[in-house]
Amino acid sequence: MRALHAEFRKLVTTRTGLWLTIVSVVVSVLFTILISLNVDKTDSASDALQTVMSVTSNFAYVFAAILGIIGLTGEYRHQTVTPTFLSVPVRSGVIVAKLVCYLLWGVLMGVLNLVVAVALGVPLLKHRIYADVSLSASGVHSTMVSAIVISAIFGIIGVGVGALVRNQAAAIVVLVLYLFLIENILSAIHAVQKVYTYLPGALASALTGSQGQPDGVHLLHRTPAALLLIAYGLAFALAGAVLTVRRDVT
Amino acid sequence: MPGPTNGVAGRIEVSGLTKTFGQVRAVNNLSFSVEPGSVTGFLGPNGAGKTTTLRMLLGLVTPSAGVATIGGQRYNRLHNPMLTVGAVLEAASFHPGRSGRNHLRVYCAAAGLPSKRADEVLSMVGLAEAARRKVKGYSLGMRQRLGLAVAMLGDPQVLILDEPANGLDPAGIQWLRQFTQSLAQQGRTVLVSSHLLSEVEQTVDRVVILARGQLIKQGTVDELTAGAGESVVVRSPQADALGSALHQGGAQVTSTGPGTLQVVGLDAAAIGHQAFVAGVELHELRTVRSDLEDIFFQLTAEPGADGQPPPTSGPVPAGAFAQQSYSQQPYGQQQGGVN
């Protein structure tokens, strides 16, 4: 608990967490407006709302992961890892505290971005085409829960990636390139489309029910996608923890 | 298997400590102890293994062999280590965008201390004014004080400082000296590492000297200086004649430059008398005391360099002094050439 309290103080005493959250919300606002005004009129009302939500969720989880990376790699970058491990020498305790901290912040970011999607997306869609757009439509609730879970898990994945890579800039570049470039490329190559559907970004898409996958891609159903994504989160957390515990701090 | 639990509170004990990084043996079978109530200097040239040793002592680096304990406990086994041990290992372990006070509050939380303790230690190190400013605006000296403030948060019995004087101005070094001495007077254990003996010479009561990962010497500063010898530097245009006269008089004579002799075994008055008897003209007659820095240099010098024998842990032979002067010989010649 002491370690968690310390991690939380670290997060709120610099501007990084605040700024990243604000940026993710601003980006979500822009894309909610953009998507809501351009949704294909042949889609159903609930599909249109889910599309808006999956887009804001995308920004929430990428920023949650980046924040997790910064939270861990910042310790090495600013050499605060030394006083951190001096104050809590059981390093697995430090890692667990970080995982919990960035999981909770991921939940917060997921919620904030959903608020944007609902507060802006619903009236815009209503105004444009769908008089019947509603939060109680089928699939919308699952999408909302999924968006929050995804953001929380990517917070954990960020901490794990940070522990594996340790170099802050490198870790962020790797993450962003992977999510925005590599997974997209894989999804377009017919031979590996099956593999792509098991990767974290594709799982997130499966969970939010996002549209616009390339032809031939059949995303997993929600429950297996959720379980597999949680497994990724645990795997990254464990790998990061094991490496951090075993590595010398020189 | 529980470690020894009958250790003296505040006593640091290092036993058979070894660390190998790849092919390099950074610390080799090192054993020493540090007692409470004194300031102990942990000395050695850069790369001697001081920092690695301290990091093993603090559980940051896993030893390849051996054990290091504080009060009979390994650091990683201490329940809330900040309440027992305070350590400053780097000149800057801060997030630049966090204020000094918030930096301290992070570690208050980690140690379960109330936040008002942060304000107390800030006053203790003289940073109360700058408490709410971001660390990126701090001077080097202020950063070092903030590091010290973190170490003092838990009011620890043991304080470990790695190269604390690096980058401090003379006033800062003076302040640090008084600070560490007052802590030792309160019965605490203070271990201060440095690659410069002169930096800590006036602060430390005891020394542990390290070179190439091995213990060279440990003891009090007095024990160290007891091995120091006195010698006399003599300059004469008839150095050869004087040298043989002094040699016959039982002195050890070494030529350290053109017309310059280093004499051990006779004092200045006796040498002056010998010169007078032999009818030799003197240009200089000067007593030189080998100081701590010379001894330190002798003890930690690389073996083989300048044909020096490997240092031993025994008392410094007085004659060894001449070798140090010898290393300055080219300088003397060069000067002569310029003039």
Side-chain angles (χ1 to χ4, degrees), chain A residues 7-231:
Chain A
E7 286 309 321
F8 185 72
R9 273 197 180 159
K10 283 177 198 168
L11 182 51
V12 298
T13 51
T14 67
R15 298 223 176 117
T16 313
L18 183 66
W19 276 114
L20 272 181
T21 309
I22 290 173
V23 168
S24 80
V25 168
V26 169
V27 173
S28 283
V29 167
L30 294 176
F31 275 84
T32 298
I33 295 171
L34 203 68
I35 304 287
S36 301
L37 295 179
N38 289 290
V39 159
D40 189 338
K41 294 193 180 185
T42 58
D43 280 355
S44 73
S46 74
D47 278 356
L49 186 56
Q50 282 182 57
T51 301
V52 171
M53 284 179 173
S54 73
V55 169
T56 61
S57 159
N58 260 323
F59 293 111
Y61 83 69
V62 172
F63 281 106
I66 290 176
L67 192 57
I69 287 176
I70 293 176
L72 196 124
T73 56
E75 297 265 11
Y76 291 98
R77 186 176 166 200
H78 304 297
Q79 295 187 324
T80 48
V81 67
T82 298
T84 292
F85 288 155
L86 287 179
S87 60
V88 183
V90 182
R91 297 186 200 172
S92 52
V94 173
I95 297 296
V96 168
K98 278 196 192 291
L99 292 168
V100 171
C101 190
Y102 289 94
L103 178 143
L104 292 176
W105 201 271
V107 168
L108 176 73
M109 288 174 104
V111 168
L112 284 176
N113 285 280
L114 271 184
V115 167
V116 170
V118 171
L120 275 174
V122 169
L124 277 172
L125 289 173
K126 234 177 203 162
H127 175 74
R128 251 188 89 220
I129 32 180
Y130 307 109
D132 62 338
V133 71
S134 155
L135 288 180
S136 52
S138 82
V140 172
H141 280 159
S142 327
T143 299
M144 291 172 78
V145 172
S146 297
I148 294 166
V149 169
I150 292 165
S151 179
I153 293 173
F154 271 89
I156 286 180
I157 289 178
V159 173
V161 170
L164 296 176
V165 179
R166 281 199 293 180
N167 179 309
Q168 190 164 86
I172 293 173
V173 168
V174 164
L175 178 97
V176 171
L177 277 185
Y178 172 77
L179 286 175
F180 288 111
L181 195 67
I182 296 179
E183 279 209 12
N184 276 333
I185 291 172
L186 293 178
S187 75
I189 301 172
H190 194 72
V192 290
Q193 275 176 344
K194 189 79 183 156
V195 176
Y196 159 72
T197 58
Y198 294 102
L199 297 176
L203 296 173
S205 299
L207 276 167
T208 52
S210 80
Q211 313 290 309
Q213 293 292 329
D215 288 341
V217 170
H218 303 287
L219 295 176
L220 299 186
H221 291 294
R222 271 209 167 110
T223 311
L227 292 175
L228 191 52
L229 189 58
I230 290 169

Side-chain angles (χ1 to χ4, degrees), chain B residues 249-270:
Chain B
Q252 270 178 272
V253 184
T254 320
S255 172
T256 56
T260 309
L261 301 174
Q262 180 100 38
V263 185
V264 177
L266 286 178
D267 65 11

Side-chain angles (χ1 to χ4, degrees), chain B residues 170-182:
Chain B
I173 290 176
Q174 177 79 22
W175 177 84
L176 185 72
R177 183 173 296 160
Q178 287 166 359
F179 188 77
T180 50
Q181 278 173 342
S182 74

Side-chain angles (χ1 to χ4, degrees), chain B residues 7-279:
Chain B
V8 180
R11 185 165 194 261
I12 296 171
E13 207 155 353
V14 170
S15 163
L17 210 56
T18 299
K19 180 68 185 183
T20 312
F21 292 109
Q23 297 290 310
V24 183
R25 179 153 285 197
V27 176
N28 191 2
N29 196 20
L30 181 63
S31 300
F32 66 89
S33 61
V34 180
E35 303 298 331
S38 65
V39 180
T40 301
F42 189 41
L43 306 170
N46 289 327
K50 302 186 297 293
T51 298
T52 303
T53 302
L54 295 182
R55 284 182 175 269
M56 285 194 278
L57 176 61
L58 295 165
L60 296 168
V61 167
T62 311
S64 306
V67 67
T69 59
I70 297 168
Q73 284 277 345
R74 271 191 284 166
Y75 191 89
N76 291 353
R77 296 288 179 87
L78 294 169
H79 173 61
N80 191 350
M82 285 186 83
L83 306 187
T84 311
V85 185
V88 187
L89 293 185
E90 288 133 353
S93 302
F94 318 106
H95 190 295
R98 194 176 280 133
S99 73
R101 183 165 177 273
N102 278 334
H103 179 73
L104 289 165
R105 280 160 46 90
V106 165
Y107 300 103
C108 282
L113 295 164
S115 288
K116 73 167 168 32
R117 182 66 190 149
D119 300 311
E120 286 170 18
V121 292
L122 280 167
S123 315
M124 187 192 293
V125 301
L127 278 180
E129 305 265 298
R132 283 164 203 278
R133 271 163 48 198
K134 287 183 180 171
V135 176
K136 65 180 161 199
Y138 283 21
S139 68
L140 186 60
M142 289 165 81
R143 285 166 197 235
Q144 261 156 339
R145 285 171 187 234
L146 182 58
L148 208 52
V150 175
M152 294 308 296
L153 271 178
D155 195 19
Q157 161 75 23
V158 178
L159 189 67
I160 296 170
L161 307 175
D162 195 12
E163 300 276 355
N166 265 3
L168 284 187
D169 56 16
I173 290 176
Q174 177 79 22
W175 177 84
L176 185 72
R177 183 173 296 160
Q178 287 166 359
F179 188 77
T180 50
Q181 278 173 342
S182 74
L183 290 174
Q185 277 159 20
Q186 293 163 18
R188 297 180 212 246
T189 313
V190 184
L191 182 61
V192 181
S193 87
S194 178
H195 64 283
L196 288 173
L197 179 64
S198 55
E199 233 170 38
V200 294
E201 191 179 330
Q202 294 169 48
T203 315
V204 302
D205 314 304
R206 301 178 58 85
V207 287
V208 173
I209 298 177
L210 197 65
R212 295 171 303 282
Q214 287 175 307
L215 181 71
I216 299 298
K217 200 171 179 64
Q218 71 169 323
T220 64
V221 173
D222 291 342
E223 284 166 19
L224 194 65
T225 44
E230 243 178 35
S231 64
V232 181
V233 173
V234 192
R235 238 161 29 88
S236 164
Q238 297 137 275
D240 290 345
L242 180 62
S244 53
L246 292 172
H247 188 70
Q248 278 162 14
Q252 270 178 272
V253 184
T254 320
S255 172
T256 56
T260 309
L261 301 174
Q262 180 100 38
V263 185
V264 177
L266 286 178
D267 65 11
I271 293 166
H273 180 72
Q274 291 264 2
F276 177 72
V277 170

